[in-house]
Amino acid sequence: MRKTSLDVTAARVSPALPRRIPRLPGRFPRRLPVRQVLCLLPLALVAVVAVQHWTVLTEGFGKLGTGEWPWLLAAATTTCLAWVAAAVTRQGAVVERMPVFRLLATQFAAGAANHLLPTGLGASAVNLRFMTVCGIPLARSSAALALYILAEAISRVTLLIALLLAFPSALRLSTLLPEGAVGPLLLAVAVATVVAAAVLLLVRRLRTAAVSFLRTALGEARSVHTRPARALALWGGSLAFPALQAAGLVAVGQALGLQIPAAHMAVAYLAATVAVALVPTPGGLGSVEAALIVTLVAAGGDAAVATAVVLTYRIITVWLPLLPGALTLGVLVRLKVI
């Protein structure tokens, strides 16, 4: 078949034509990348939380200026060491070796996330994402996360029981629980446990998922405990973490002249944090302060001084690191570390 002149002309012109029609500038708005939004989200949440707790912030910073600076510096040091202890515990919960500096930066960022989201959810999400980025499968990362939470809870309760046995008069329990409240409290815990067990037994999908997760978690725990270095990091770090937090409160108490023995203040801290562990508030904001004041008063402290101590302690451990932690979180998201 002979080509016509029109076909020849089209063949000559077509290579010069652009393959795609260029987008006119300003015609269609570009979508904001999701990762950039995630980088800015922590800063926005910090602003929201700061506005919500503005009164506490102003009062706490006012109390901060009245304390003895060597003790306040000691409290800040224990706060930094607590992040190191958290990083050691996280490493002990997995067999693979994770990058040290990224792991430490992740714990600092996870602390900020933990105060911006319901208790434990922020830090868990950050660490879960970090482990998966490090190449650990999601199932094993979840098992390592559960192992960390379990080890930290066991260590905190064990430390509290040991101090209560050593100092039985550290807390006046009658001021913490109304008369006759222990029975209903234990009954409520028993009922919740029975209901959860019944749901797992009756719902097949939940039962299957729970059994599968339990097998993975047990396998991960077995692998970790066959390596003495990992087991030492897991349990040593999980014991050091609440001990350093309690030491920070003791240092603030000394800075503001709270007339309570150091061991009694440590017992008050551990009792308060164990009591509010199941309260779903961001970072325990509000609930931790109230519980700490109650337990410090139960330990024999003056209510006004105890309030000042708690506000100053939360300024050092929560509010001062919150903005740098949020910035670190945004940088880690930007660099795709999490």
Side-chain angles (χ1 to χ4, degrees):
M1 180 181 294
R2 296 179 60 185
K3 294 184 179 179
T4 63
S5 59
L6 183 60
D7 295 332
V8 174
T9 304
R12 292 176 180 176
V13 174
S14 58
L17 294 176
R19 295 184 178 181
R20 294 182 181 178
I21 299 175
R23 178 180 294 179
L24 296 177
R27 185 75 177 270
F28 302 101
R30 295 182 61 185
R31 292 186 301 173
L32 190 63
V34 176
R35 191 165 290 274
Q36 290 185 8
V37 174
L38 292 177
C39 293
L40 298 175
L41 183 59
L43 300 179
L45 290 176
V46 168
V48 171
V49 173
V51 170
Q52 291 177 343
H53 298 83
W54 185 252
T55 304
V56 176
L57 276 171
T58 54
E59 188 174 354
F61 276 107
K63 300 295 183 183
L64 189 63
T66 63
E68 298 180 12
W69 281 103
W71 285 110
L72 295 178
L73 182 60
T77 302
T78 59
T79 300
C80 297
L81 291 176
W83 295 323
V84 177
V88 171
T89 312
R90 300 284 184 184
Q91 176 60 83
V94 294
V95 175
E96 291 84 354
R97 184 175 180 83
M98 293 186 287
V100 176
F101 293 107
R102 291 184 181 183
L103 177 60
L104 186 57
T106 301
Q107 301 320 301
F108 183 50
N114 208 40
H115 297 304
L116 300 175
L117 296 173
T119 304
L121 180 60
S124 298
V126 170
N127 280 285
L128 188 63
R129 176 62 182 169
F130 175 69
M131 286 187 285
T132 54
V133 170
C134 289
I136 303 173
L138 181 59
R140 292 186 52 232
S141 298
S142 302
L145 184 62
L147 180 60
Y148 169 86
I149 295 173
L150 180 62
E152 203 275 334
I154 292 174
S155 300
R156 188 178 295 267
V157 173
T158 301
L159 192 58
L160 174 60
I161 293 174
L163 287 176
L164 282 174
L165 291 175
F167 305 96
S169 61
L171 290 179
R172 297 194 298 268
L173 297 178
S174 59
T175 62
L176 294 177
L177 292 174
E179 187 177 354
V182 177
L185 182 62
L186 294 177
L187 180 61
V189 172
V191 170
T193 304
V194 170
V195 170
V199 170
L200 286 176
L201 290 175
L202 295 176
V203 182
R204 184 176 180 179
R205 289 186 177 180
L206 287 178
R207 184 173 68 252
T208 303
V211 170
S212 176
F213 176 77
L214 186 60
R215 288 175 179 172
T216 304
L218 289 175
E220 190 71 14
R222 191 181 302 111
S223 300
V224 165
H225 285 88
T226 56
R227 292 166 171 79
R230 291 292 186 266
L232 180 61
L234 175 65
W235 293 104
S238 61
L239 274 173
F241 183 69
L244 288 167
Q245 289 180 321
L249 181 65
V250 171
V252 175
Q254 296 293 332
L256 298 181
L258 183 61
Q259 299 300 316
I260 302 177
H264 293 196
M265 277 191 274
V267 171
Y269 172 80
L270 293 171
T273 53
V274 168
V276 302
L278 298 178
V279 179
T281 57
L285 293 177
S287 59
V288 170
E289 287 86 347
L292 280 174
I293 292 171
V294 169
T295 53
L296 287 175
V297 171
D302 179 74
V305 181
T307 302
V309 167
V310 171
L311 290 177
T312 305
Y313 175 73
R314 295 293 276 176
I315 288 292
I316 293 174
T317 58
V318 176
W319 294 106
L320 285 179
L322 189 58
L323 182 58
L327 290 172
T328 304
L329 180 60
V331 170
L332 293 178
V333 172
R334 180 73 176 177
L335 296 177
K336 299 182 179 181
V337 175
I338 57 175

